[in-house]
Each structure stands twice: as structure tokens, then as C-alpha cells.
Amino acid sequence: MNDNNERRVVSVIVVNEASVLSRITDLFSGRGYNITSLTVAPIPESKYSRLTIVTSGSIRVIEQITKQLHKLIPVLRVYEHSDLVEKEMALVKFPITENLSDISAICNAYNGKIVNVGNDVIITMVADEPKRVDHYLEAIRKYNPKEIVRSGAVALER
Amino acid sequence: MQISGAQMVIEALIAEGVDTVFGYPGGAIMNVYDEIYKQDKFQHILTRHEQAAVHAAEGYSKASGKVGVSMITSGPGFTNAVTGLADAYMDSIPLVVISGQVPMSLIGTDAFQEIDAVGISRSCTKHNYLVTDAKDLPRVLKEAFYIARTGRPGPVHVDIPKDVTAQIAEFDYDVKLDLETYKPHVKGNPRQIKKAMEAIANAKRPLFYLGGGIINSNAANEVRDLVHTTGIPAVETFMARGTLSYDDKLLIGMLGMHGSYAANMAMSETDMVIALGARFDDRVTGKLSEFAKNAGVIHVDIDPASISKLVNANYPIVGDIKNVVVEMLKHVPMIKSDNYEPWRETIENFAQLHPLTFHEDSERLKPQWVIKRVGELLGDDANISTDVGQHQMWTSQFYPFTRPRQFISSGGLGTMGFGFPAAIGVKAASPEKTSINFTGDGSILMNCQELMTAVEKKLPVINIILNNNFLGMVRQWQTLFYDKRYSETDLSVQPDFVKLAEAFGGIGYRVSTKEEFDVALKEAIERNIVAFIDVKVERLENVMPMVPSGGSLFNMMLLEKKESK
């Protein structure tokens, strides 16, 4: 069904009010489309919020969803990105017994560092392009990460 | 002024000029009904089912062009109304539907008659609101009416918890609407319109494809001007019936699954489709890849999401049909109507080759005859609604529509049970016209309780039941595509429709000849009481021509030539 599946990033500016998020996600779920990641935060000093949605699907359907998003009453603007700067954050928890200097060096390579040191665990943070975050998570696998959390992407057009 | 939330609802309805509300009371909406009791500015019509309340509001809206209003309670009251909301959403009918909700303190506790109403209506309304504070009510109601009637119209649902209707707050309906994110684009781009008109002037076989948006935009007069001054032939969608008068020489007919041969062939042969407020629905296009295959497409619609949704538009024009057509009219002089003469002749030949017709039968009444007969007898004097199925298609094919808003039917959603309550709403909006509902023996049972509403409010709708003892349209598909396995479509067991009507205080007739039918219709009109005319018609009549589902428009099953006896 999902011919020409392609990764797409859509940003939506919406009025920050109750139920607006479900109005938007309904358009995806109603077509059987999955949202890969979704980030929402208020835009400073305005009544709006900005959503960044990463999804995949046929161009035709994504275009249709974009138009339908526009139609929603609380939606101010929809950007379907092509040329963009995209970043994602990941927090990872490691046992303190792992090789901390190795982990720290890898974090450095991916715009990150150790952000918290406890008695039993350390927590690292990296912020980079989603693909690079994938690579980072691949690289640290052998250090037995106990927990991983990714933020979902945020993006701005160049 | 400081008033309760319930009073605000009344004041807002009055300020919006509402004269009729269709509804059904219940626990969560009682505060509002208490205020309805105390006022005399608008009438309330009590339907006997919430679904019917919304369909009646739809009929009222379609006939009058105003926003229809319906009022219901929480829980089952609301869920019963959902079909109506979905129906109005699909057919772009402006409605404001107000529902009661359990008090704020009980929301989310599985309280008695509680349901997440806005969660349910989100996908079948243009917009919806859960009002959590009475001070928001004036703004919300004003926005609701504004959103319902502007842009591409549609239903707006306002859910109000019971304690909010009791709460006292400041009411000022002169609030300025501040909808920064909702600005419908009504004026078409003049340069794009000019380019489109040039494309029409260069085309050899242009074709108007008229859709329901014309009716919503009240643009039929302008469209008639455009068609007549350009001399370009036109096809209508089901939703656009009445845009051109049935006897207009440039009207080829309805297109689509049950469209006429000439209309479907014209669409297949055209080199420039001029779509006005139409949305290339699958029942219209048939197989998309073969639809108007060699044609350029001009698509005018107020809803940008409708343009290039299914068929790519070479000239997309976002705007209100009326505005755009007025602008198009300015460029008419560049079009040479004579150039299209060969094209008009081609179409005329199509029409003569396979005219839209049916075979009379000496033994049994044909359903098409009944519709034509009502057209001969009442014509322009009747507003026509239908339910859904074979009778609906025959009505669209054979009734001589002369004006927009004359034909009221459930197009997009295809809701059986729509016709009777809609006809009640039509009669309330336009009492000077006879209100006819063509229905089937399947559909009529889906809202027959509305006999009570029609009797009580003296809204004498005449229901003409084209009774073939079948769920006819499904039966037709079973005949054609399922090897005559009539799974659950035989409706031989049915009520005595005459007695059913009489039981509610209406009148009933059972007829099986032309003479009997004429007498029954005449009497029903004279007696001015809600009526059921149960017309026994040929059981196995099929709606023809027919484009099988997913087939190409030019590949129609046609009416078999009558064998000589």
C-alpha cells in the first residue's frame, strides 16, 4: 500500500490549545500511517506551538496529509521540509563499571558528553543528526547501555 | 450582561437569526431546554431520534442555505447524532450541533451517559469544541457559526458540560472573532483565471464538470450565465443537480456510475475539463487512470485539499465558485462558441445513441415512471429528497430539476434513513413547496419514527416508497456480480406501510397501477397530512446505465434493447 515509502519531515505551527495534538495525529492514524517521531514545544512569546513530525509514506499521501493539516482550524502553517537542518538528542545510561574514557570519547565524536555521574550509573547526552544518532547508538552497544531515550527530531529549513 | 451558560446558548442562537432548532432533550442538556421553554424567538422541533434531528437540520440547511442547528444530550444522544454529523461533513453542509456533556467534575469518571464526544466527532466535523468555562461560550458559539458557514462549509460540534450551562458569566456577542489560523481563500487568482480561460478558448472539446460547491456558493445563476455565453456543454454531479435546468440544451446529464451514456462519453472524450466545486469522487470518475485521459484540467474549489487530490489539475484555482465564475465571465469574449459546434454535435450523437430511458411494462409499475410522473405533476413546485439506493439514482436520473436546492440527498456518506427527516427539515424551511421524499422499502424503516414529528408539527411530507421488496441496490450488485446469491436482501417480510402511517396519525396508500398512483398523490397533497404512498414496483429493475465499480466511464453496462413481443 505504501508505495515509494520515503522518510518525510513535516513541521506544523499550531495554536497551543487542548486537543490540537490529537487533531493532527488523527490525520495520520486515520490513514494507517505511523508517526516515527513527534516533538512539540511552545514557541516563545506566542500563543503557538511548533510540532516536528517524522513519518514515512508515499509522497502522494503525505502531500494529501499536509493539505489536510492546513485545513485544520488551529493550524497556522505547515512546512514540508526538503533542505533542512535536523537534530535529535539521545540520553543513554551506562553502568559505572564500563570503560568511561571510551564512552566519553565516542560521545565527543557525536556532539555529546557525560552529563550525570551517580554511584552506579553515568548518563550521557548526544545531540546530532538523526542518522548520526543511529550510528552513535550502534557504537556504544558494546558498553552495555542500560537505558536509551531519544527525543525525536527537530528541524529548521536552511 | 451576566447570564447563565444555558441562556447564552439561547441568546447566541437568536443573535445568529436561527428560527428553527431540531433536537431531543436529555439529562445533560436540560438547563438549555429549560431556557428554550422560556423563550419564543425560535421554534424547536422535537424529532423522535437524535439522528433524525441532525438530518432534519441538514435538510433545513440545504433548502434554506442557512446554518442548520440541532441540539442533543450527552452519551447515547450524541452517539445517535454522529451519523448525521458524518453525513453533513461529507456533503459540506453547514451545521452547528450542540450537545450536553456530564458536569466537568464527572468527565473521565465513566459517569452516567458520559462519552468522549469531541474525541468521536473530531474526524467527522469541520471543527469541534469542548467548552470548559461559560465565559468562553459567546466566542465559541460565534466561531462555530462562522466556521460552519464560511470556506468549505461543514458541521461544527459544540459540547457543553452541564455545570457550564449553569455557570453565570458575562455575555457579549459582539466579540470580535480572532481566527488568525482560519482565513478561507475566497477570491481566485485573477491571472490564473485568465490563463484558464485562455486554455478553454484554445480547447476543441471543453466540458463543464459542475459540482455541489456551486450550490453551496449560491452560484447557479452565474454558472448558468457562463455555460450559456460560452456554449460549452456541461455535466452535473449528483450533488449539483438543479444547477442547470433539466431542459437546458447544454446540460448533458449526470455523470458517474449511474450517469447517462452521453455524459460519461463526453467526459471520456473532452480535451479540457472545467471542474467547478466538484471533487472527482470515485463514484464519478470510475477508473482514475482512464478518467478524462486526454484532457487538461481546470479545477476551481474553495478547499485547496480537494484540488489535485485525485486528478492532477493543470490550472488549480482556489476560491469561492461565485467569485471565480464572475471573474471568468469577464473573459468570455475571448471564447468563440461556434468553435465548439462539432463537439456539441458529437455529444448530441452520443445522447441519441443511448438516451437515458427505461422500458415500460404493462403488468407492473416501473419505479422510473413514478418519478417521472411526479415530475410531470409537480415539477418545480416540489422539493425532492431521497433516501439511499436505487430509488435515489432513479430520482437523480429522471426527476426534472429546475433549480438549485430543489434536490436534497445524502451523496457522500450514502446514509439510508436520511430522506424522511431531511424532508421534514426541508418542509420547515420552505413550507410553500410540496415536500416529496422518494424512498425505498429498506430505507424508510431506518427513520420511520419521524412520522410522529411530521404529524405533531404538521409538516406534511409525502413519502413515496418505491417498494420492490428488496434492498434493491445491493440486490442489483448481487445479480450482476455475485451470481444472484441474494444474501439478506430479500425484504419480502415487511410491515403494512399504510397501517404504519395511520398508526402515527398520518395517511397511507397502497398502489400498484398508474391510475391508483395519480389518485393517491393528488389526495395526499390535498389532505396536507404526512403520507406514505406504498408503490408496488417491478422487483428486479436495475439502475442503468452502470459503470461497474472500478471500471472506466466509457465502459458502461447499458439498458438492454427491448425485445419485441
Side-chain angles (χ1 to χ4, degrees), chain A residues 51-115:
Chain A
L51 287 83
T52 311
I53 301 167
V54 180
T55 184
S56 60
S58 79
I59 296 175
R60 201 184 170 79
V61 175
I62 300 293
E63 266 177 14
Q64 184 56 26
I65 290 178
T66 315
K67 282 186 180 174
Q68 299 281 1
L69 281 170
H70 249 299
K71 241 172 106 170
L72 294 174
I73 308 293
V75 168
L76 181 68
R77 214 163 285 140
V78 184
Y79 303 99
E80 209 193 334
H81 296 298
S82 44
D83 188 21
L84 44 81
V85 176
E86 204 184 331
K87 294 290 171 191
E88 185 175 1
M89 193 181 85
L91 296 177
V92 184
K93 196 185 272 180
F94 296 95
I96 201 136
T97 51
E98 291 298 320
N99 187 333
L100 298 190
S101 57
D102 276 15
I103 291 172
S104 177
I106 296 171
C107 286
N108 270 331
Y110 290 94
N111 269 330
K113 57 184 178 184
I114 295 172
V115 291

Side-chain angles (χ1 to χ4, degrees), chain A residues 13-15 17 19 22-24 26 47-48 60 64 67-68 70-76, chain B residues 89 122-123 126-129 147 152 178-182 303-305 307-311:
Chain A
I13 314 276
V14 297
V15 178
E17 64 180 20
S19 84
S22 40
R23 287 184 205 282
I24 287 165
D26 276 3
K47 59 177 182 179
Y48 298 107
R60 201 184 170 79
Q64 184 56 26
K67 282 186 180 174
Q68 299 281 1
H70 249 299
K71 241 172 106 170
L72 294 174
I73 308 293
V75 168
L76 181 68
Chain B
Y89 188 52
R122 196 173 296 131
S123 57
K126 184 173 175 185
H127 197 48
N128 63 10
Y129 297 89
I147 290 170
R152 178 176 177 175
D178 177 27
L179 287 161
E180 227 178 298
T181 57
Y182 175 71
D303 175 14
I307 295 181
S308 297
K309 178 172 65 176
L310 295 154
V311 171

Side-chain angles (χ1 to χ4, degrees), chain B residues 70-231:
Chain B
S70 135
M71 194 147 343
I72 54 198
T73 193
S74 65
F78 169 75
T79 53
N80 279 344
V82 170
T83 303
L85 285 171
D87 191 272
Y89 188 52
M90 287 288 269
D91 284 349
S92 308
I93 300 174
L95 296 185
V96 171
V97 174
I98 298 168
S99 61
Q101 180 55 280
V102 301
M104 293 284 289
S105 56
L106 290 180
I107 288 182
T109 66
D110 298 333
F112 177 65
Q113 293 193 329
E114 184 195 355
I115 195 76
D116 172 13
V118 285
I120 291 174
S121 68
R122 196 173 296 131
S123 57
C124 57
T125 51
K126 184 173 175 185
H127 197 48
N128 63 10
Y129 297 89
L130 170 62
V131 183
T132 55
D133 192 317
K135 75 173 168 28
D136 296 332
L137 257 176
R139 174 186 58 82
V140 166
L141 290 166
K142 196 162 186 174
E143 280 181 14
F145 275 91
Y146 176 71
I147 290 170
R149 70 172 170 256
T150 53
R152 178 176 177 175
V156 179
H157 168 218
V158 183
D159 197 35
I160 316 176
K162 190 170 187 177
D163 52 342
V164 174
T165 58
Q167 202 185 339
I168 307 283
E170 177 64 21
F171 180 81
D172 177 8
Y173 207 65
D174 288 328
V175 279
K176 202 170 167 297
L177 290 185
D178 177 27
L179 287 161
E180 227 178 298
T181 57
Y182 175 71
K183 293 198 162 62
H185 198 83
V186 293
K187 194 175 171 299
N189 180 329
R191 290 207 345 246
Q192 183 78 337
I193 293 171
K194 183 157 179 270
K195 274 186 359 202
M197 289 301 275
E198 284 162 4
I200 297 171
N202 290 326
K204 290 193 172 59
R205 300 182 304 280
L207 182 70
F208 281 113
Y209 162 30
L210 309 177
I214 297 166
I215 315 259
N216 279 334
S217 163
N218 292 314
N221 285 336
E222 290 74 9
V223 169
R224 287 179 180 199
D225 277 356
L226 186 63
V227 171
H228 295 148
T229 51
T230 57

